[in-house]
Amino acid sequence: KEIPKCILESPKKFQVAFLAALFEGDGSIYRESSSPRWDIEYSSLSYELIKQLKVMLENIGILCSFTKTRVWATNGTDTQVEKTGYKLFIERQSFHQFAEEIGFISSKKLKKLEDCITHLDWLTESASQSTNFYVCGDHNKIPAGTLVYSLLERINIIASAYSYDV
């Protein structure tokens, strides 16, 4: 599978419509029950499709990454076969832009996207309001609330992998 050349070379509005349909069909948005972390992803067995999708998204300013994974596929039969697949993840700092530029079509996925953005906005606002001090480097000032939130999120992800409550 790959993205047709006519889509890759089309104007942005057609690419965005294509991406919206693609994410509606095989994309997902979810939140692990034991974690505050949301993920927006697209899965495929096609490495070429994932690479092209990453380029399209980044050309419109949506940051993403992908990883190789093992998946089970039926190949049109009753037998499950283990295959190599790929998952493309929208980076958290691009969630707002993904929502504005692409989004989802179905009301179920749109509602999840709205919940995700609301949660992300709340976390960002609480982190910036809860602390007004800075972690200073040689040439940089980093708001400590953002740093603390980022570290807490990583700790929660690690803890959830080991079933610890933080």
Side-chain angles (χ1 to χ4, degrees), residues 8 10 48 85 106 116 120 144-145 165-166:
L8 293 172
S10 66
E48 188 64 27
S106 71
C116 168
L120 189 62
D165 289 327
V166 176

Side-chain angles (χ1 to χ4, degrees), residues 63-95:
L63 300 176
C64 53
S65 60
F66 69 90
T67 185
K68 187 191 295 189
T69 186
R70 302 300 289 169
V71 296
W72 291 93
T74 61
N75 294 340
T77 68
D78 291 335
T79 307
Q80 294 277 326
V81 178
E82 189 175 13
K83 292 194 161 223
T84 298
Y86 304 90
K87 288 188 177 193
L88 178 136
F89 295 93
I90 304 299
E91 298 294 337
R92 192 150 345 314
Q93 64 265 34
S94 290
F95 279 10

Side-chain angles (χ1 to χ4, degrees), residues 146-158:
T146 304
L147 181 62
V148 170
Y149 166 70
S150 178
L151 291 172
L152 182 59
E153 183 180 53
R154 288 175 190 256
I155 289 168
N156 280 331
I157 290 166
I158 292 167

Side-chain angles (χ1 to χ4, degrees), residues 13-91:
K13 68 179 182 177
F14 296 114
Q15 290 187 20
V16 166
F18 177 84
L19 290 168
L22 201 65
F23 270 89
E24 183 61 35
D26 290 330
S28 58
I29 179 168
Y30 60 91
R31 179 179 173 191
E32 299 292 335
S33 59
S34 61
S35 169
R37 179 187 171 100
W38 282 87
D39 281 308
I40 301 172
E41 71 177 45
Y42 182 87
S43 300
S44 177
L45 296 176
S46 171
Y47 178 70
E48 188 64 27
L49 177 64
I50 292 293
K51 282 192 326 184
Q52 290 174 323
L53 183 55
K54 184 177 188 317
V55 169
M56 281 181 75
L57 288 164
E58 290 183 344
N59 279 341
I60 59 175
I62 297 173
L63 300 176
C64 53
S65 60
F66 69 90
T67 185
K68 187 191 295 189
T69 186
R70 302 300 289 169
V71 296
W72 291 93
T74 61
N75 294 340
T77 68
D78 291 335
T79 307
Q80 294 277 326
V81 178
E82 189 175 13
K83 292 194 161 223
T84 298
Y86 304 90
K87 288 188 177 193
L88 178 136
F89 295 93
I90 304 299
E91 298 294 337

